[in-house]
Amino acid sequence: MEYTRLGSTGTTVSQLCFGTWRFGRETGGVVETDREEAHDLLDAAWERGINFIDTANVYGNPNGTSEEYIGEWLDDYDREDFVIASKVYFPFDGRGEPGPNDSGLGRKHIRAQIEGTLDRLDTDYLDLYYIHRWDEESDIEETLSALDDLVHAGKVHHLGASTMAAWQLTKALWKSDVEDYERFEVTQPLFHAGYRDDVKDYLDVCADQDMAVCPYSPLAGGFLTGKYERTDDDDPTAFEGPEGSRGSLSDRFEDFYLSERGWHVLDELRTVAGELDATPAQVALRWLIEQPDFTCVPIVGARTVDQLDENVGAADISLSDDQFNRIVSARYAEDGERWGHRD
């Protein structure tokens, strides 16, 4: 595993981040990753060189379960070896039915949630604290002021922003500069090689401001692993996959991941994988790691150690300019765009 600087911060992280949104999460009454499985996966991630762990206060049933699993696991390790990120925004049910101040980015909710997060993780500080979404109801200055206080109190090292519009990210950065608040240094958008919607404007802001990009769902919910096959040339949403795969379990799979662009990209990923004696998943992750304009650290959410091993294999390959650019061209096969090529 190689390591990289997290944007313009002084923090160094592994080229892959381990995501824990499945920890304690119930689907159809079944826990996707229980405590023992979570600890085994965290052990495996650390043994393979991953020092960057991503969670959120709302991960798990009830909310906070993922953070609790991580906190328990950390008892057997040196906290200083790890870079840990969590998030705030969504309604939090860890105290029961969420109340009127148990969501959003107002000062009261932020201060309550950071205390709960630190308690569950059994740590004095977070390395990275994201706002999970943009809050239309809270003034961005109040949000930034509250987050700035956390940094100056030593409870948070760096600030991050998850999914939002490019103009919202720009507004937050401008407000931070004007008011001398700590600024967002890391972003976490939905971004992968086959993503149907462009996030060019958002990523342009990240590149210009030297922000790190830690995309979630870098394998498109498993679609870019190559385990799905198209069944109708006229319908990009017609597919078949292994029984019990995420595609058959999630109603969001079709809406978020299936498109003509996705199938074009998957075909090219398979071709490049054959050239490198790798897997489509490894090529998809490597394509993100090698983004030329900004530091990109994909968040992988492996369910098993075998899946984690495959993901980590992305650190052992490299793409030629031709291979990288062919994947970009596949993204724009329908409209001829040229953004994102590597010289």
Side-chain angles (χ1 to χ4, degrees):
M1 179 62 64
E2 295 184 7
Y3 297 84
T4 186
R5 186 67 58 87
L6 193 62
S8 60
T9 76
T11 299
T12 299
V13 298
S14 46
Q15 287 185 325
L16 294 173
C17 176
F18 185 64
T20 64
W21 73 277
R22 290 193 179 95
F23 286 11
R25 181 174 184 264
E26 290 187 10
T27 301
V30 178
V31 176
E32 292 192 22
T33 302
D34 64 23
R35 177 179 281 100
E36 182 177 354
E37 292 167 334
H39 290 177
D40 288 345
L41 284 166
L42 289 166
D43 284 337
W46 172 239
E47 290 165 2
R48 287 150 181 78
I50 295 177
N51 73 336
F52 192 9
I53 300 171
D54 181 87
T55 188
N57 62 333
V58 293
Y59 291 170
N61 299 98
N63 295 162
T65 301
S66 174
E67 292 177 329
E68 289 179 357
Y69 286 1
I70 295 167
E72 293 163 354
W73 175 80
L74 276 173
D75 283 343
D76 294 328
Y77 290 87
D78 186 340
R79 166 68 179 91
E80 294 302 312
D81 287 335
F82 300 94
V83 176
I84 300 177
S86 193
K87 310 177 189 73
V88 61
Y89 168 74
F90 286 112
F92 180 80
D93 70 9
R95 298 189 300 114
E97 187 69 22
N101 291 301
D102 283 338
S103 65
L105 297 176
R107 183 180 297 273
K108 182 175 179 64
H109 185 235
I110 289 173
R111 292 183 68 88
Q113 290 307 307
I114 188 63
E115 295 301 331
T117 285
L118 295 178
D119 182 62
R120 288 185 291 274
L121 288 169
D122 194 20
T123 183
D124 295 328
Y125 69 94
L126 282 179
D127 297 278
L128 176 60
Y129 201 32
Y130 289 100
I131 60 170
H132 215 154
R133 292 292 186 272
W134 182 268
D135 185 2
E136 299 284 357
E137 304 300 322
S138 297
D139 188 280
I140 186 60
E141 186 167 356
E142 176 180 341
T143 298
L144 291 170
S145 174
L147 294 171
D148 184 77
D149 288 346
L150 298 184
V151 174
H152 288 284
K155 295 181 179 182
V156 173
H157 286 171
H158 302 295
L159 303 177
S162 191
T163 301
M164 63 180 62
W167 72 263
Q168 292 167 329
L169 179 59
T170 302
K171 178 178 180 179
L173 293 170
W174 173 80
K175 182 64 73 172
S176 293
D177 289 344
V178 169
E179 301 295 341
D180 196 30
Y181 294 139
E182 291 290 328
R183 72 202 305 266
F184 296 129
E185 300 285 359
V186 185
T187 61
Q188 191 177 123
L190 175 58
F191 174 49
H192 54 73
Y195 188 36
R196 67 179 186 183
D197 296 322
D198 262 326
V199 286
K200 178 182 183 301
D201 291 345
Y202 185 93
L203 296 177
D204 281 347
V205 175
C206 296
D208 179 72
Q209 297 296 306
D210 196 17
M211 304 177 76
V213 178
C214 298
Y216 70 91
S217 198
L219 297 177
F223 175 72
L224 296 182
T225 64
K227 64 185 178 183
Y228 299 100
E229 298 292 341
R230 188 169 186 167
T231 57
D232 187 339
D233 290 341
D234 296 323
D235 181 4
T237 66
F239 73 98
E240 61 182 9
E243 184 177 354
S245 63
R246 183 177 169 191
S248 65
L249 293 174
S250 173
D251 293 335
R252 294 172 34 155
F253 188 82
E254 178 179 320
D255 292 338
F256 274 69
Y257 306 125
L258 298 183
S259 65
E260 290 293 347
R261 167 180 284 183
W263 291 110
H264 285 307
V265 168
L266 180 56
D267 287 343
E268 193 60 50
L269 291 176
R270 285 169 165 157
T271 299
V272 174
E275 296 167 358
L276 296 175
D277 192 23
T279 68
Q282 290 167 343
V283 175
L285 292 171
R286 192 68 202 183
W287 183 83
L288 289 170
I289 292 169
E290 293 188 11
Q291 287 297 305
D293 298 324
F294 47 82
T295 302
C296 190
V297 182
I299 301 172
V300 296
R303 292 184 179 185
T304 67
V305 173
D306 285 345
Q307 288 178 352
L308 181 62
D309 281 334
E310 180 182 10
N311 294 164
V312 170
D316 298 326
I317 63 174
S318 61
L319 306 180
S320 68
D321 287 346
D322 175 67
Q323 290 167 333
F324 185 96
N325 291 337
R326 278 157 45 198
I327 295 169
V328 175
S329 294
R331 282 175 55 80
Y332 298 107
E334 297 295 309
D335 53 26
E337 289 281 348
R338 297 290 296 174
W339 175 80
H341 282 71
R342 188 170 73 187
D343 296 328

